[in-house]
Each structure stands twice: as structure tokens, then as C-alpha cells.
Amino acid sequence: MDDELRLVDITDELASWVGKCEPFGQGNPPVQFLVTDCDLVNTRIFKDGKHAEFMVRQDGTTRRMVGFNMGEAAKKLRSNAVVDILFEVRFNEYRGMRSVECIVNDIVTV
């Protein structure tokens, strides 16, 4: 983990800063952040149960996070659980729209 954040701190500026640290690979691991004490609002499992989408809330800020290959782990979490999340931040471009995306590496119930 490189730094602990609040959900409100996840901005375009943060994703731009992370992008300047690329390319990631051997000798330059991706920048990882931690948010603690988030309320798990909703979980959605997709792509034949392989991946998961987590909607989390902290201090009035709600954010979508994606966990690739985390479908099974997501099934064990209950809505309204309090969770800590280790994740990466990057820009995602889809259909001409650019947005900040949070990729979950680990999620645990507190």
C-alpha cells in the first residue's frame, strides 16, 4: 500500500498523477491505495460470475469499484458490511467517455 485515502480524494487529478508513474511492471509495481471503514452499499457480479462491481460509501461519497476475478469473494460479502479496500486508480476510456476507475485488489470485512 502506498497511501491511505478517503473516497472523496479519488479525483481526476489523482488518476493523472498515477498515470505519470507508468509504465508499471517488474521493478515498478502499480500504485496502490487503501480506503478504510467504507459501507458496502451494493455488490453486482458479472461476466459469468468472474468479476464484481462494488458500490461503496464513505462520509457521504459513493464510488463504484471493480474487482476482476473477484466474483467468488464478492458472494461472501453482505450489503451494509463495513469494508477496507486495497485498490489501484486509473483512467478508463469507454465509448468516448473518460472516467476515473478504481480496480480492487483486495476487500475485507472490518
Side-chain angles (χ1 to χ4, degrees):
M1 184 227 5
D2 294 293
D3 202 0
E4 187 171 335
L5 301 175
R6 307 300 291 169
L7 289 180
V8 71
D9 298 325
I10 303 169
T11 62
D12 286 358
E13 291 79 14
L14 177 66
S16 291
W17 176 84
V18 169
K20 292 175 184 174
C21 298
E22 293 177 346
F24 299 120
Q26 187 174 357
N28 189 31
V31 180
Q32 295 187 85
F33 300 99
L34 176 70
V35 290
T36 60
D37 300 323
C38 292
D39 296 317
L40 183 61
V41 176
N42 189 27
T43 302
R44 182 178 70 91
I45 298 170
F46 60 100
K47 287 286 186 184
D48 298 325
K50 292 181 184 179
H51 310 309
E53 173 186 80
F54 305 99
M55 293 300 292
V56 293
R57 183 179 302 125
Q58 180 189 59
D59 302 328
T61 299
T62 302
R63 176 154 296 272
R64 174 185 178 267
M65 296 188 165
V66 177
F68 294 109
N69 298 310
M70 294 190 76
E72 288 302 314
K75 291 176 186 176
K76 298 175 186 175
L77 298 172
R78 60 177 175 75
S79 290
N80 300 318
V82 177
V83 294
D84 292 349
I85 306 170
L86 183 68
F87 65 101
E88 299 170 27
V89 174
R90 66 180 179 205
F91 279 114
N92 180 34
E93 293 193 31
Y94 182 70
R95 294 185 179 177
M97 300 291 290
R98 186 177 192 194
S99 62
V100 176
E101 184 171 61
C102 298
I103 306 300
V104 177
N105 293 326
D106 196 13
I107 183 169
V108 296
T109 304
V110 179

